[in-house]
């Protein structure tokens, strides 16, 4: 039996000011081609289907398109929610979807949902575990000792009463780590995961009863602990931290019990995401310009700030996402010990000092007003400041 393992689609996501719906449809069509060409039996989608809890109309239309194409191929689709998804929105119409072999688990209701599929080797039990927090699991198992996400997942699996003689697959969306090291993080998930410390971390040996573990939540494709516990990773590069990733989808073949093989099928985006560095003259020299339609993060090494650098860059690279600087001024800022600088200084004084250090000139009153307005909206300062 062959499974295609997908995760972290983040439909509706943008890159800076650029809409990625066209890029996402392009990569989904590649996956559909793989499904047809490699005779895939089932698709596992491991959460973060949408980028936002309230997805855009374009994002919901794209998911509708993808699910309809999957149904047309005749494959079974198993889909769970991630921490970015809205349980209710993702679950809408799920009973109707089952008629087209699309099985959705968007919220944990006290037990692992299980579906059984068959091939010439016999039955395969597919378990669906949407993103859960320890507090949700305590509600269903008040007598169990649940102090962490790891405890919570172990309790869920213990109460699932798996038949270990059968082939078992689970789709989950959690932060799963090895015994001695954490998975390689990237994008928004790296910030969120690092902020919660050890409480959210789940050891991969929680999933020992399963022949294959299809994970979502981390954007970097990788195995965790053993080959059969794996993050598919996001299908596109969604942040600068992913610029060196080689995006792929795992094609998982289940033979008889205990025989699992994983083939990583590379994905080719419509537009790549690249990071380029140098002076503006060097980077925009015709002999150095390549693939101008790619998304570009540019780091300028010029000592002086370039006026309207973004406008200049976008004449050559129209999809430039961000420009920053790496020069003597920025390196000086990085080395500054801020602990004594910020003492007894007002917001205005701090902003003025930073502006002077960065641009070697005074900030204007209009610019300062904009900074204060943004700070008030963010709750950094109060209305009277």
């Amino acid at each position: 039996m062959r499974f295609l393992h997908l995760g972290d689609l983040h439909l509706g996501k943008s890159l800076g000011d650029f809409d990625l719906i066209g890029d996402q449809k392009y990569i989904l069509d590649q996956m559909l081609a793989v499904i047809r060409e490699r005779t895939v039996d089932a698709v596992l989608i491991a959460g973060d289907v949408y980028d936002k809890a309230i997805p855009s109309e374009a994002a919901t239309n794209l998911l509708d398109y993808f699910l309809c194409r999957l149904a047309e191929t005749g494959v079974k689709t198993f889909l769970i929610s991630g921490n970015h998804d809205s349980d209710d929105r993702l679950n809408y119409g799920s009973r109707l979807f089952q008629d087209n072999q699309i099985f959705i688990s968007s919220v944990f209701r006290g037990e692992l949902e299980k579906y059984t599929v068959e091939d010439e080797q016999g039955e395969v039990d597919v378990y669906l575990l949407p993103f859960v927090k320890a507090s949700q699991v305590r509600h269903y198992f008040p007598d169990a000792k649940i102090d962490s996400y790891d405890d919570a997942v172990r309790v869920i699996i213990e109460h699932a009463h798996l038949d270990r003689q059968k082939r078992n697959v689970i789709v989950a969306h959690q932060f799963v780590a090895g015994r001695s090291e954490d998975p390689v993080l990237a994008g928004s998930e790296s910030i969120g995961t690092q902020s919660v410390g050890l409480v959210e971390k789940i050891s991969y040996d929680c999933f020992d009863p399963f022949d294959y573990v299809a994970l979502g939540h981390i954007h970097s494709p990788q195995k965790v602990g053993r080959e059969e516990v794996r993050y598919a990773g996001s299908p596109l590069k969604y942040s600068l931290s992913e610029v060196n990733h080689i995006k792929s989808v795992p094609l998982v073949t289940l033979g008889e019990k205990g025989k699992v093989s994983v083939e990583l099928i590379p994905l080719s985006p419509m537009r790549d995401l690249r990071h380029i560095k140098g002076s503006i003259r060097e980077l925009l020299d015709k002999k150095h310009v390549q693939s101008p339609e790619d998304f570009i993060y540019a780091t300028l090494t010029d000592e002086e700030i370039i006026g309207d650098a973004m406008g200049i860059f976008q004449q050559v690279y129209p999809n430039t996402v961000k420009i920053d600087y790496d020069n003597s001024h920025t390196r000086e800022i990085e080395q500054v010990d801020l602990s004594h600088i910020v003492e007894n200084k007002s917001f205005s004084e701090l902003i003025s000092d930073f502006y002077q250090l960065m641009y070697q000139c005074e900030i204007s009153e209009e610019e300062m007003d904009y900074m204060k307005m943004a700070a008030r909206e963010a709750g950094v300062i109060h209305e009277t400041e």
Side-chain angles (χ1 to χ4, degrees):
M1 180 169 292
R2 282 181 174 169
F3 296 93
L4 196 69
H5 170 195
L6 316 179
D8 296 275
L9 302 180
H10 286 277
L11 301 182
K13 188 173 181 63
S14 58
L15 194 58
D17 295 329
F18 299 100
D19 183 355
L20 294 179
I21 287 291
D23 300 77
Q24 291 177 326
K25 181 179 182 298
Y26 183 90
I27 214 71
L28 291 178
D29 284 337
Q30 277 191 41
M31 297 172 182
L32 290 167
V34 171
I35 291 165
R36 290 189 292 266
E37 293 166 6
R38 302 300 296 271
T39 320
V40 172
D41 299 295
V43 176
L44 313 175
I45 305 178
D48 280 0
V49 177
Y50 290 125
D51 187 57
K52 295 180 175 64
I54 304 178
S56 65
E57 181 180 353
T60 55
N61 288 340
L62 184 55
L63 180 60
D64 178 70
Y65 165 83
F66 188 47
L67 293 179
C68 286
R69 300 292 85 75
L70 288 173
E72 288 171 1
T73 67
V75 300
K76 293 178 173 61
T77 300
F78 300 95
L79 184 155
I80 64 169
S81 64
N83 56 302
H84 279 249
D85 297 310
S86 163
D87 300 344
D88 292 336
R89 285 177 171 81
L90 198 60
N91 196 52
Y92 182 78
S94 59
R95 292 183 181 177
L96 291 175
F97 289 147
Q98 289 195 22
D99 294 337
N100 288 297
Q101 301 189 95
I102 297 170
F103 306 96
I104 299 174
S105 179
S106 66
V107 61
F108 178 69
R109 293 187 172 88
E111 62 180 359
L112 274 178
E113 292 189 41
K114 182 185 79 171
Y115 299 91
T116 301
V117 295
E118 291 189 59
D119 64 4
E120 62 275 8
Q121 302 289 340
E123 293 183 340
V124 178
D125 286 341
V126 179
Y127 292 85
L128 304 183
L129 177 61
F131 180 72
V132 293
K133 298 180 180 179
S135 57
Q136 293 173 274
V137 182
R138 288 191 203 103
H139 173 75
Y140 293 101
F141 303 100
D143 297 328
K145 184 178 183 299
I146 301 175
D147 296 324
S148 66
Y149 284 48
D150 186 273
D151 292 340
V153 171
R154 289 182 190 276
V155 167
I156 291 171
I157 293 173
E158 285 169 6
H159 285 80
H161 305 298
L162 278 72
D163 182 350
R164 294 202 178 207
Q165 302 304 311
K166 295 173 68 174
R167 293 171 294 168
N168 296 300
V169 171
I170 189 169
V171 188
H173 189 95
Q174 303 288 159
F175 178 41
V176 179
R179 288 192 180 94
S180 59
E181 60 182 2
D182 291 343
V184 178
L185 305 179
S188 61
E189 304 306 339
S190 65
I191 299 171
T193 300
Q194 288 171 340
S195 68
V196 297
L198 300 175
V199 176
E200 190 181 349
K201 189 184 300 185
I202 297 168
S203 175
Y204 78 93
D205 62 10
C206 269
F207 300 102
D208 282 351
F210 298 94
D211 296 86
Y212 186 77
V213 182
L215 296 173
H217 193 45
I218 304 299
H219 290 190
S220 177
Q222 61 197 287
K223 67 175 183 178
V224 182
R226 59 183 171 102
E227 290 290 337
E228 301 81 18
V229 181
R230 184 171 292 276
Y231 287 105
S234 58
L236 293 172
K237 299 174 183 179
Y238 287 137
S239 70
L240 179 59
S241 60
E242 300 175 56
V243 72
N244 294 319
H245 287 186
I246 299 174
K247 298 298 185 179
S248 61
V249 283
L251 179 63
V252 184
T253 302
L254 258 61
E256 61 186 56
K257 177 69 176 179
K259 291 189 177 180
V260 182
S261 63
V262 180
E263 177 186 356
L264 299 182
I265 299 177
L267 297 172
S268 300
M270 183 168 72
R271 295 175 286 188
D272 199 3
L273 171 62
R274 295 190 290 119
H275 183 206
I276 58 177
K277 181 177 179 179
S279 70
I280 194 167
R281 182 185 296 274
E282 293 168 342
L283 296 180
L284 300 185
D285 189 315
K286 288 184 178 180
K287 64 184 180 183
H288 295 145
V289 173
Q290 55 180 310
S291 303
E293 294 301 315
D294 284 350
F295 294 111
I296 298 295
Y297 279 78
T299 297
L300 301 183
T301 56
D302 301 83
E303 285 297 318
E304 300 300 324
I305 300 300
I306 308 297
D308 192 26
M310 181 62 80
I312 296 170
F313 242 84
Q314 288 185 338
Q315 292 180 28
V316 177
Y317 290 104
N319 298 313
T320 300
V321 178
K322 183 179 179 181
I323 294 175
D324 60 16
Y325 286 83
D326 181 9
N327 55 31
S328 61
H329 303 299
T330 60
R331 288 191 288 273
E332 182 181 351
I333 292 171
E334 291 173 358
Q335 295 172 3
V336 170
D337 179 6
L338 296 178
S339 60
H340 68 278
I341 293 178
V342 300
E343 290 178 353
N344 302 318
K345 286 198 174 185
S346 68
F347 175 81
S348 298
E349 289 172 324
L350 289 170
I351 293 298
S352 296
D353 290 348
F354 174 80
Y355 200 93
Q356 177 68 44
L357 187 61
M358 189 69 187
Y359 300 110
Q360 293 82 55
C361 63
E362 298 294 329
I363 188 170
S364 69
E365 289 186 15
E366 183 181 11
E367 289 170 324
M368 180 61 80
D369 288 341
Y370 278 118
M371 294 298 294
K372 287 183 176 180
M373 181 174 64
R376 290 190 192 100
E377 291 179 354
V380 175
I381 62 174
H382 302 295
E383 287 295 331
T384 56
E385 296 182 64

